[in-house]
Amino acid sequence: MRVLLPEGWAPPQGYANGIEVPAGRIVFIAGQVGWDAQQHFQSTEMAPQFAQALDNVLAVLAQAGGEPRHICRMTAYCCDKPAYLAARAELGAIWRQRMGRHYPAMSMIFVSDLLDHPGLVELEATAVLPAAS
């Protein structure tokens, strides 16, 4: 996996502009919200929901035999921009605890609502695992 940073561009903070990956097994992970395995929200706060949503993404990825380092793209949908901005430091700590310093190509999209109430954030991802030998 190679992070793409065009010459002369300032490095982005907390994401990559692009990722180049040699051919392998592609895993598409549907949007995951901050509920537990039984589809119950344990919190209505941003940070715990983000942590659970990221854990859910990583659980689906692990089912395919993948690890956090295999994620090359992630899109986050959030319906509470002020809560997201207020929790950025805590969200960064949650990210580093689970993902280390691996930052895939990412987008953050603020939306009016999510399907699953009282969800505040939804994460979807694409990972590329090494080709099976």
Side-chain angles (χ1 to χ4, degrees), residues 1-3 19-22 25 29 54 57-58 61-62 65-74 95 98-105 125-131:
M1 185 178 302
R2 182 171 71 108
V3 174
I19 301 284
E20 177 185 45
V21 182
R25 295 182 300 128
I29 302 169
L54 187 53
V57 166
L58 296 175
L61 179 59
E67 299 174 10
R69 65 188 173 92
H70 295 126
I71 295 175
C72 358
R73 184 204 57 82
M74 185 176 288
W95 180 272
R98 289 155 174 81
M99 301 289 291
R101 295 257 176 221
H102 174 63
Y103 299 106
T126 303
V128 178
L129 284 60

Side-chain angles (χ1 to χ4, degrees), residues 58-128:
L58 296 175
V60 173
L61 179 59
Q63 183 67 33
E67 299 174 10
R69 65 188 173 92
H70 295 126
I71 295 175
C72 358
R73 184 204 57 82
M74 185 176 288
T75 303
Y77 301 93
C78 180
C79 60
D80 190 338
K81 186 174 182 177
Y84 171 80
L85 293 174
R88 280 183 87 176
E90 192 174 1
L91 300 179
I94 291 165
W95 180 272
R96 287 186 299 280
Q97 182 182 46
R98 289 155 174 81
M99 301 289 291
R101 295 257 176 221
H102 174 63
Y103 299 106
M106 294 180 67
S107 295
M108 168 60 79
I109 302 168
F110 292 99
V111 297
S112 63
D113 204 358
L114 298 174
L115 177 63
D116 301 303
H117 185 75
L120 298 174
V121 64
E122 183 168 333
L123 304 175
E124 67 178 18
T126 303
V128 178

